[in-house]
Amino acid sequence: MTTTITIALLVILLVIGLPVAFSLLLSAAVGLFLIGGPGLVLGILQTTPGTAVSSYELITIPMFILMAEFMIVSRVADEMFELIGRWVRRLPGGLAIATAISGAAFGAVSGSSTAAAATLSASSVPTMIKHGYDARFASGVVAISGTLAMLIPPSIALILYGLLSGESIAVLLIAGIVPGLMVLTVIILTVFTLIWIRPSWAPKVEEKFSKENHSVAALLFLLLFLVVTGAIYLGIATPTEASAIGAFGALFIAVGRGNTNFGMLRQAVYRALRTTAMIGAIIIGAQVFGYFLTITQIPNLIISHIGGLDFPSWVILIGIICIYLVLGMFLDQIAILILTVPIMLPLIVHLGYDPVWFGVLIVVLAEIGLVTPPVGINAFVVSRYTNVPLEDVFIGVIPHILAHFVVILLLVLFPALVLWLPNTM
């Protein structure tokens, strides 16, 4: 009964729109109170906040967010889109392909899909529509390309999964590279397919791009990405150290290029602090809720129940995938990770699957949720920044959602696609 009341309260709080952190905290406090009274609740609340946010690995989140903010104010992302567009403009749907590649590039310095979608919306959708691209087609490409930031290092989602699961953050970040490139390839192939079916959606671009040389911006971006990711891959630096190097490098680029001022840098720091505080509050709430799960032994009960079922492990895995697809329609990726990993991960390990592979699979599933109605956050961001009707954005992204299922199938059938590169570290 206590478990039922607590879970029901959590669902109600989330449905009425209370922030995830407070929903977790309040529902867990009620559950703990019903189990052990006020003494248990106060004891956990007195110690948990400090221990939850004192993890050394947690520093990677604010540092990578700060790196992304400094790269945004330096305008390197805008110049990268201009440069990539110049390279691929003669291909069918060249601007859409440039958007997809720019999504991967921005993800390599961001780790935030929402920030990537906002940046791409402001820079690429107006350009595509100006050149005669169909608005639904253009907005769909931008919405799905923004999700690449969840896989390409430094992925905030994979870092958070590592903190929740205890898996190596370095291994998880490297494990996201090959699937991220797979998703990028699938997006580009989907663009080609759509243009082959409807050539009018992406007319050939005749207008030349700016003659301004953006090669310096591209070199600075590649250098920063190689330094951060290479240091993690080669074991030269931990993810925490690499994130600090990345943040300092991005600050150096922003200041050195001379197109930023103190006010812009201060706003970048403020945005990074605000995002970090939000994630920290969610982690504290999740830690308190985790104590409730441990005391009530919910994960063990689920494992015992499902382990007694006469179903092959792949059937149970399909059921888990369907659960994540449904959750993605209503919750953002951070909430999904916080709510499900403590319960699902022990079950996945019990079934014999690799936890690193499962973490990457969750992120790919969360990518679909970011563009799926009714709460596809990236679709809302694209609609807000471009004034394209929300329903048109959702329609434009449907082909990409279907194509994503191909990636999921390949990752399920061939786990080595995820695990090969980390095994060479």
Side-chain angles (χ1 to χ4, degrees):
M1 179 60 70
T2 299
T3 301
T4 303
I5 293 174
T6 304
I7 299 298
L9 178 60
L10 174 62
V11 172
I12 292 171
L13 293 175
L14 291 172
V15 168
I16 65 176
L18 193 68
V20 175
F22 300 112
S23 298
L24 289 166
L25 195 60
L26 288 175
S27 58
V30 171
L32 292 169
F33 179 83
L34 294 175
I35 294 172
L40 177 62
V41 177
L42 292 175
I44 291 177
L45 292 181
Q46 286 173 353
T47 58
T48 299
T51 57
V53 296
S54 61
S55 168
Y56 176 69
E57 290 80 8
L58 187 61
I59 302 174
T60 55
I61 292 179
M63 289 295 101
F64 278 135
I65 294 174
L66 192 60
M67 180 178 76
E69 293 293 345
F70 285 150
M71 292 298 283
I72 290 172
V73 299
S74 70
R75 296 195 69 250
V76 167
D78 294 338
E79 295 184 21
M80 282 292 295
F81 174 73
E82 177 81 15
L83 182 63
I84 295 170
R86 188 184 304 167
W87 289 342
V88 301
R89 70 179 186 272
R90 297 187 183 278
L91 295 175
L95 291 179
I97 295 171
T99 299
I101 299 174
S102 297
F106 190 79
V109 295
S110 167
S112 169
S113 60
T114 305
T119 302
L120 292 173
S121 297
S123 60
S124 60
V125 172
T127 303
M128 284 191 279
I129 293 178
K130 173 186 174 183
H131 288 89
Y133 278 55
D134 180 81
R136 292 178 177 178
F137 172 78
S139 58
V141 172
V142 170
I144 198 68
S145 298
T147 65
L148 285 165
M150 293 182 63
L151 277 174
I152 304 292
S155 164
I156 300 300
L158 287 174
I159 293 173
L160 189 56
Y161 176 83
L163 293 172
L164 293 169
S165 65
E167 295 298 318
S168 167
I169 293 176
V171 170
L172 285 165
L173 291 176
I174 299 302
I177 294 177
V178 172
L181 295 176
M182 289 173 60
V183 171
L184 173 61
T185 303
V186 166
I187 293 173
I188 293 175
L189 292 177
T190 304
V191 167
F192 281 137
T193 303
L194 292 174
I195 295 173
W196 177 69
I197 297 173
R198 294 286 181 88
S200 62
W201 283 359
K204 185 178 179 181
V205 176
E206 300 293 343
E207 179 181 336
K208 293 184 178 181
F209 283 77
S210 167
K211 293 291 186 180
E212 186 178 351
N213 186 2
H214 297 309
S215 57
V216 174
L219 289 174
L220 290 173
F221 162 79
L222 289 174
L223 179 62
L224 185 64
F225 174 74
L226 290 175
V227 167
V228 173
T229 306
I232 295 173
Y233 177 77
L234 297 173
I236 297 174
T238 66
T240 305
E241 295 163 346
S243 67
I245 293 171
F248 179 79
L251 174 62
F252 182 80
I253 291 172
V255 174
R257 285 169 56 82
N259 55 359
T260 58
N261 54 46
F262 178 76
M264 296 169 67
L265 294 177
R266 183 178 60 185
Q267 284 298 313
V269 173
Y270 170 74
R271 289 192 296 268
L273 286 171
R274 185 174 58 184
T275 304
T276 302
M278 177 197 70
I279 296 175
I282 292 175
I283 291 174
I284 292 173
Q287 191 86 352
V288 176
F289 197 81
Y291 280 116
F292 170 77
L293 294 177
T294 302
I295 293 173
T296 55
Q297 296 186 331
I298 292 177
N300 294 335
L301 293 174
I302 292 175
I303 292 173
S304 300
H305 177 69
I306 295 181
L309 298 177
D310 190 20
F311 289 121
S313 59
W314 63 269
V315 173
I316 299 174
L317 179 62
I318 291 175
I320 293 174
I321 289 174
C322 292
I323 290 173
Y324 275 102
L325 290 173
V326 173
L327 289 175
M329 297 171 65
F330 302 98
L331 300 172
D332 65 77
Q333 70 269 29
I334 293 179
I336 291 173
L337 289 172
I338 293 291
L339 294 173
T340 63
V341 169
I343 297 175
M344 292 296 188
L345 185 60
L347 175 59
I348 284 294
V349 174
H350 176 76
L351 294 173
Y353 294 105
D354 187 274
V356 172
W357 166 84
F358 181 62
V360 174
L361 181 64
I362 291 177
V363 171
V364 176
L365 293 169
E367 284 185 344
I368 297 177
L370 284 172
V371 292
T372 305
V375 193
I377 296 175
N378 273 24
F380 278 90
V381 170
V382 172
S383 177
R384 175 188 172 189
Y385 276 81
T386 63
N387 293 320
V388 175
L390 181 61
E391 57 270 22
D392 287 350
V393 179
F394 281 131
I395 292 173
V397 86
I398 288 175
H400 298 283
I401 293 175
L402 297 177
H404 258 62
F405 285 110
V406 176
V407 177
I408 293 172
L409 179 62
L410 290 174
L411 295 181
V412 171
L413 294 178
F414 306 104
L417 291 170
V418 175
L419 301 176
W420 167 74
L421 189 59
N423 288 335
T424 65
M425 291 174 67

